[in-house]
Amino acid sequence: MPSMDGLYTTSLISIALFLLLFSPSVAVDTIPANQVIKDGETIVSAGELYELGFFSPANSNNRYLGIWFKKISTGKVVWVANRELPLSNTSGILKVTRDGFLQLSCCGDTVIWSSNSSAFVRYINPVAQLLDTGNFVVKDGNSTDETDLIWQSFDYPSDTLLPGMKLGKDFVTGTNRNLTSWKSPNDPSVGHYVDYIDTNGYPQAFLRQGSVMQIRFGPWNGNRFSGEPNEKSNPIYSIEFVFNQKEVYYKFELKSSVVQIICLKWDGIIEMLHWNNRSQDWFVYSTGLIDICNRYGICGPNGICDINKNPPCNCMDGFEPKHEDEWNMADWSSGCQLKIPLDCQAAEVFWKMRGMKFPDTRKSWYNQSMTLGECEIACKKNCSCTAYANLDIKRGGSGCLLWFGELMDLKACEDSQDLYIRMPASLLKGLTGVSEPGFNKMIRVLASVFSILLTLLGLSLAVYASNMKKKRSSMKGRGRRVPSIDRHYSDVEKEDLQLNFFSLSQIAKATNNFSINNKLGEGGFGPVYKGVLENGQEIAVKQLSETSEQGYDEFYNEVICVGRLQHRNLVKILGYCMDGDERILIYEYMSNKSLDLFLFDENRSSMLEWPQRFDIIHGIARGILYLHHDSRLRIIHRDLKASNILLDHNMTPKISDFGIAREFGGDETTSKTKKVVGTYGYISPEYAVHGRFSIKSDVFSFGVLVLEIVSGKKNRDFSCEDINDNLLGHGA
Ligand SMILES: *[C@@H]1O[C@H](CO)[C@@H](O)[C@H](O)[C@H]1NC(C)=O
Ligand SMILES: *[C@@H]1O[C@H](CO)[C@@H](O)[C@H](O)[C@H]1NC(C)=O
Ligand SMILES: *[C@@H]1O[C@H](CO)[C@@H](O)[C@H](O)[C@H]1NC(C)=O
Ligand SMILES: *[C@@H]1O[C@H](CO)[C@@H](O)[C@H](O)[C@H]1NC(C)=O
Ligand SMILES: *[C@@H]1O[C@H](CO)[C@@H](O)[C@H](O)[C@H]1NC(C)=O
Ligand SMILES: *[C@@H]1O[C@H](CO)[C@@H](O)[C@H](O)[C@H]1NC(C)=O
Ligand SMILES: *[C@@H]1O[C@H](CO)[C@@H](O)[C@H](O)[C@H]1NC(C)=O
């Protein structure tokens, strides 16, 4: 193929000619040892993207050594060597010494600035080279190892993060790479703002102005900084965050041949800039401060910022403003506190918060190999632990992150990990929304164990429903929330109930003025006192603490509702008392108190013989059967647990605490509620997760109760040496 050969030779010649003719102006990218670059001379990276030389900022005569974009942009400077030590005239020179130092000097031998490489080694052939990445490196010219660098400008960033450049720390060499803003648009000296990776606790990135935190990025959750949008699918760049024993860093790499940089501007604004070839200008691709909620800690400790709300600051569930008046005047800085403080004694639970940017991790502890279950246990063990979460969201979540003390800088956002907040169990019933114990695993195990039970129940329900159909006509017109205010009971009905009205003074007298010595315990809805009436009858007095918003009629109707339930295995209500905001229920006194005192007390549990335990289970079952099927109403208890089973002097079990019980029309078997009430360890998964409750929810709680009665172990507190699970999980 001569013609092709000819073409080839011709082009070779023309290339050679081109090189010959233009070689003086072909820029070099390398400075050999002991050769100098004078002001006015530059070196250019091989791909002609970057250029290094001396420059003056606008409106300034100071000379700086720097790197800027060569072909594009109007000389955007991305790195400055002598930021703090400008030259006043154009007599500066740059050279590479035999020791591998870069030296910027002026007027003879006055060294203005020098790169300080740690080793005092004489290199055979040190050279400085400007790479196409924008990295200015000093290396041994005879070394073939490209990564064997004596010095690199990427270790000393200015205000610009180029693709491939690391922001973070090298724990081995001690190098700390951070972005620092210029002092002003025309002054490259170090300004007020710094963007860096903080390694107190679990690493996260910060933008700081002086000593004031401005913005927090992170912590890294395996995919992205917590609270940031998922950038996995971004076609332009990808983000990498590495954290190991050797180093921690953040960097971004471009996926296509665009030009994009991150710049910390002199005024503290972090911008990702994109070069638009068509308009020949930079445009802001994204900026660090998207909304007010990105301001660090704007809502104070334990406050959540939600940009979709007005005002944006709110307390977390179960928390209230520390200073109500300040809070209401939009001064959120003092933040929120738990409505009931943690004291590490009372029962505590973890409230699951979804869609939350993780709080500041500077006071945190982490372990990359722990599971969520182990994490909960670890948090429970330490009284100052206030929250926990998975460290990494990849592969269904792994690792453990614990927070200590107040939780700072929470932000509501879509698509984030779950955060588990510690709080007293007594706070839980006031919370709306969906709550769930930390053990996801438990939920799954429970679901499988009880699916069998539920199937059986479903069958019996079907039979029951067909029976109900016949009776339905008589039930028609019955409201959903029965009894309602406008439902009237005939006087006959009232008398039927044999309910007594007690005056407050009568109750006060009976209970020794609600003396602490008479207090039997704290029910779900308030304290319970023992009292003795004038006729010598012993009573239990239940003060309803949180029902004060309830009207007279509603309370009265509720009393009647409960009063109409009469069964051997239900606690009998004797009367009620209403005075101002006081709402009091009077029950018969149970001399053996509640079942949990027997079950979970080592000394007393031996008093319970097997036949007795069986009788108790039997009794509870009969009580539930009555509530669900046999009573004139149809009641779902919703809070069956050992402490709500009272024992009389014969050890007959009696179900108590109908405070949150809910009545159903005969044809209703499930309902949905936004407010999940009940007790952890006893509430069924579908109720905990979806708020759906039905008589099945009670059956679930009953199942837990049976397990506890048989084993004498608390479901929630159960632990086995090698299996970190609860009683239910263990049984499975
Ligand atoms: C440049 O400035 C230095 C002091 O910064 C001075 O010593 C030197 O003489 C100046 N050179 C010229 C050519 O003006
Ligand atoms: C390099 O730094 C060390 C201390 O870190 C210092 O002793 C030495 O003088 C520095 N060298 C140069 C050339 O600045
Ligand atoms: C290093 O490289 C230079 C030229 O690149 C060469 O002259 C010199 O002999 C080399 N030295 C060694 C020790 O390889
Ligand atoms: C930023 O880096 C410099 C140089 O390594 C270091 O001295 C300084 O402490 C760093 N600042 C922060 C906030 O990490
Ligand atoms: C930028 O635009 C110029 C023409 O304005 C074109 O020649 C050049 O190839 C473009 N560069 C890129 C990277 O698209
Ligand atoms: C992290 O957790 C794993 C598994 O529980 C344990 O083996 C390891 O010792 C823990 N590491 C630290 C530093 O606590
Ligand atoms: C709880 O954690 C904090 C912070 O890590 C630690 O200082 C404290 O010693 C821990 N307390 C206990 C009892 O482990």
Side-chain angles (χ1 to χ4, degrees):
M1 296 230 191
S3 62
M4 276 299 260
D5 264 343
L7 200 64
Y8 185 60
T9 3
T10 333
S11 58
L12 256 190
I13 291 166
S14 55
I15 288 170
L17 259 179
F18 175 88
L19 284 176
L20 266 178
L21 285 173
F22 296 97
S23 57
S25 73
V26 165
V28 289
D29 66 347
T30 306
I31 312 171
N34 283 341
Q35 206 159 310
V36 299
I37 293 277
K38 292 202 199 77
D39 196 331
E41 293 171 349
T42 61
I43 59 170
V44 176
S45 68
E48 299 203 354
L49 195 52
Y50 295 99
E51 184 167 27
L52 176 137
F54 291 87
F55 73 96
S56 287
N59 308 322
S60 165
N61 291 322
N62 285 342
R63 299 299 285 172
Y64 296 91
L65 178 71
I67 299 172
W68 56 88
F69 282 101
K70 163 78 175 162
K71 275 202 292 200
I72 62 161
S73 116
T74 43
K76 167 113 190 87
V77 175
V78 296
W79 183 76
V80 184
N82 53 328
R83 293 180 74 174
E84 304 288 344
L85 308 155
L87 292 155
S88 54
N89 54 37
T90 56
S91 48
I93 54 168
L94 174 71
K95 74 168 177 191
V96 188
T97 69
R98 279 280 168 210
D99 309 318
F101 288 142
L102 284 170
Q103 238 171 36
L104 181 60
S105 53
C106 160
C107 336
D109 271 341
T110 324
V111 176
I112 305 283
W113 172 89
S114 139
S115 74
N116 198 347
S117 43
S118 49
F120 286 88
V121 183
R122 283 192 78 82
Y123 295 93
I124 300 155
N125 181 29
V127 295
Q129 187 180 14
L130 180 60
L131 305 179
D132 259 337
T133 54
N135 197 3
F136 185 43
V137 301
V138 181
K139 61 182 184 181
D140 187 344
N142 289 53
S143 167
T144 48
D145 185 359
E146 285 296 317
T147 60
D148 183 17
L149 301 175
I150 299 167
W151 183 90
Q152 58 174 331
S153 65
F154 271 19
D155 280 344
Y156 303 90
S158 294
D159 66 342
T160 305
L161 195 71
L162 297 174
M165 196 165 169
K166 292 173 179 175
L167 183 77
K169 284 180 189 163
D170 187 321
F171 300 127
V172 180
T173 63
T175 307
N176 185 1
R177 306 177 199 96
N178 50 42
L179 295 184
T180 40
S181 68
W182 286 22
K183 203 162 247 163
S184 77
N186 303 327
D187 182 358
S189 60
V190 174
H192 299 298
Y193 296 92
V194 55
D195 182 16
Y196 66 103
I197 304 251
D198 189 294
T199 49
N200 297 305
Y202 195 66
Q204 48 191 351
F206 276 106
L207 172 67
R208 213 174 63 186
Q209 176 190 23
S211 58
V212 182
M213 289 302 171
Q214 295 282 337
I215 306 179
R216 186 175 62 93
F217 305 91
W220 189 258
N221 67 14
N223 266 340
R224 57 181 176 272
F225 282 125
S226 175
E228 302 291 316
N230 194 351
E231 276 157 350
K232 259 271 155 78
S233 53
N234 189 312
I236 297 172
Y237 62 89
S238 61
I239 285 175
E240 190 183 350
F241 187 88
V242 168
F243 175 43
N244 55 36
Q245 305 258 297
K246 276 175 60 194
E247 57 184 342
V248 54
Y249 66 80
Y250 162 93
K251 74 173 181 186
F252 75 100
E253 298 277 7
L254 296 175
K255 290 181 180 171
S256 58
S257 64
V258 296
V259 175
Q260 198 148 313
I261 58 174
I262 291 174
C263 190
L264 173 56
K265 292 201 321 182
W266 71 277
D267 53 1
I269 296 189
I270 298 184
E271 285 177 345
M272 186 170 233
L273 297 171
H274 180 94
W275 178 253
N276 189 328
N277 195 31
R278 192 194 296 265
S279 66
Q280 290 290 300
D281 201 1
W282 294 100
F283 86 92
V284 179
Y285 182 89
S286 67
T287 162
L289 195 65
I290 298 155
D291 59 54
I292 186 179
C293 285
N294 284 24
R295 282 250 168 262
Y296 179 81
I298 182 157
C299 297
N302 304 319
I304 300 175
C305 193
D306 186 346
I307 195 63
N308 296 319
K309 289 193 178 144
N310 192 10
C313 286
N314 288 286
C315 289
M316 283 193 288
D317 294 336
F319 288 72
E320 63 192 1
K322 245 179 229 164
H323 302 295
E324 188 80 45
D325 41 343
E326 288 174 14
W327 188 269
N328 292 338
M329 285 157 74
D331 176 1
W332 304 299
S333 51
S334 53
C336 309
Q337 61 193 10
L338 271 170
K339 287 178 186 157
I340 303 168
L342 292 167
D343 63 359
C344 223
Q345 304 294 324
E348 281 167 358
V349 293
F350 289 95
W351 176 250
K352 175 173 173 171
M353 307 222 35
R354 290 209 167 102
M356 205 49 62
K357 173 182 175 179
F358 276 5
D360 192 341
T361 53
R362 279 179 296 169
K363 280 189 225 142
S364 72
W365 177 93
Y366 60 91
N367 180 320
Q368 278 151 331
S369 50
M370 271 159 78
T371 64
L372 198 60
E374 291 169 331
C375 200
E376 178 177 348
I377 291 165
C379 189
K380 238 182 194 154
K381 270 189 195 150
N382 190 323
C383 283
S384 50
C385 176
T386 45
Y388 74 91
N390 259 154
L391 204 53
D392 195 317
I393 59 170
K394 292 199 301 285
R395 292 182 296 277
S398 64
C400 174
L401 190 51
L402 303 183
W403 282 266
F404 302 101
E406 288 175 322
L407 302 175
M408 271 308 275
D409 197 35
L410 286 146
K411 184 180 127 180
C413 54
E414 292 300 312
D415 183 36
S416 258
Q417 295 151 279
D418 299 326
L419 179 66
Y420 299 88
I421 314 277
R422 185 186 205 138
M423 60 179 61
S426 47
L427 262 181
L428 206 65
K429 70 182 170 65
L431 299 183
T432 54
V434 170
S435 73
E436 196 178 293
F439 284 122
N440 280 332
K441 194 167 109 219
M442 179 194 93
I443 294 288
R444 285 198 296 274
V445 172
L446 290 188
S448 64
V449 167
F450 283 88
S451 59
I452 302 163
L453 234 162
L454 295 186
T455 322
L456 288 176
L457 194 99
L459 282 175
S460 68
L461 270 180
V463 175
Y464 182 75
S466 68
N467 287 342
M468 267 335 270
K469 244 180 192 166
K470 296 165 198 157
K471 297 186 198 165
R472 197 174 289 169
S473 55
S474 63
M475 293 283 200
K476 261 195 181 146
R478 186 173 203 159
R480 195 181 162 83
R481 264 195 72 84
V482 188
S484 63
I485 300 169
D486 46 29
R487 183 143 166 240
H488 297 288
Y489 293 90
S490 68
D491 286 9
V492 182
E493 235 177 330
K494 275 181 199 170
E495 270 171 32
D496 236 346
L497 295 172
Q498 297 175 317
L499 275 185
N500 291 319
F501 177 81
F502 293 84
S503 71
L504 190 58
S505 59
Q506 257 178 308
I507 302 294
K509 203 169 164 194
T511 59
N512 250 332
N513 252 333
F514 299 100
S515 149
I516 193 85
N517 296 332
N518 283 38
K519 196 162 163 181
L520 292 171
E522 190 85 29
F525 283 76
V528 184
Y529 297 89
K530 183 184 173 177
V532 183
L533 294 177
E534 268 172 347
N535 62 11
Q537 190 184 5
E538 287 183 318
I539 53 168
V541 173
K542 182 171 192 176
Q543 214 175 3
L544 304 179
S545 52
E546 288 177 15
T547 46
S548 51
E549 73 277 349
Q550 216 179 23
Y552 174 92
D553 284 338
E554 288 159 272
F555 177 71
Y556 186 67
N557 282 338
E558 191 171 322
V559 170
I560 287 173
C561 164
V562 177
R564 285 202 297 166
L565 296 168
Q566 291 188 2
H567 189 269
R568 212 175 101 77
N569 295 108
L570 300 184
V571 170
K572 192 176 170 206
I573 187 165
L574 299 174
Y576 62 99
C577 163
M578 260 184 286
D579 195 335
D581 279 341
E582 283 288 358
R583 303 276 187 273
I584 294 168
L585 293 174
I586 293 102
Y587 294 93
E588 55 179 340
Y589 178 70
M590 297 286 131
S591 55
N592 276 319
K593 306 207 174 120
S594 57
L595 180 60
D596 58 336
L597 299 178
F598 280 89
L599 285 183
F600 310 131
D601 183 328
E602 268 167 32
N603 300 325
R604 296 180 77 189
S605 66
S606 55
M607 289 161 61
L608 275 185
E609 301 293 342
W610 287 114
Q612 229 162 7
R613 289 183 197 237
F614 180 74
D615 284 344
I616 288 171
I617 293 173
H618 212 93
I620 298 169
R622 272 199 300 262
I624 296 172
L625 189 68
Y626 173 80
L627 284 178
H628 287 180
H629 297 294
D630 299 337
S631 66
R632 277 192 284 169
L633 311 160
R634 192 166 161 76
I635 302 283
I636 294 174
H637 186 284
R638 296 216 280 168
D639 199 13
L640 278 173
K641 55 179 172 182
S643 58
N644 277 343
I645 306 298
L646 305 184
L647 300 166
D648 69 7
H649 57 285
N650 289 327
M651 295 298 278
T652 308
K654 297 189 183 231
I655 300 170
S656 78
D657 216 335
F658 304 98
I660 59 172
R662 190 149 178 192
E663 189 188 358
F664 276 78
D667 49 351
E668 280 181 270
T669 53
T670 55
S671 180
K672 204 159 161 52
T673 178
K674 270 190 177 164
K675 191 164 166 176
V676 172
V677 291
T679 305
Y680 272 159
Y682 294 91
I683 52 179
S684 62
E686 83 276 11
Y687 180 31
V689 179
H690 304 296
R692 263 199 301 277
F693 68 92
S694 63
I695 54 180
K696 295 173 197 169
S697 320
D698 276 356
V699 175
F700 182 98
S701 309
F702 174 66
V704 176
L705 202 48
V706 170
L707 277 179
E708 287 182 338
I709 293 171
V710 172
S711 69
K713 300 263 190 326
K714 258 198 182 109
N715 178 34
R716 282 285 279 177
D717 290 350
F718 177 80
S719 70
C720 192
E721 258 149 38
D722 49 351
I723 307 162
N724 289 318
D725 212 330
N726 61 5
L727 184 55
L728 284 174
H730 187 63

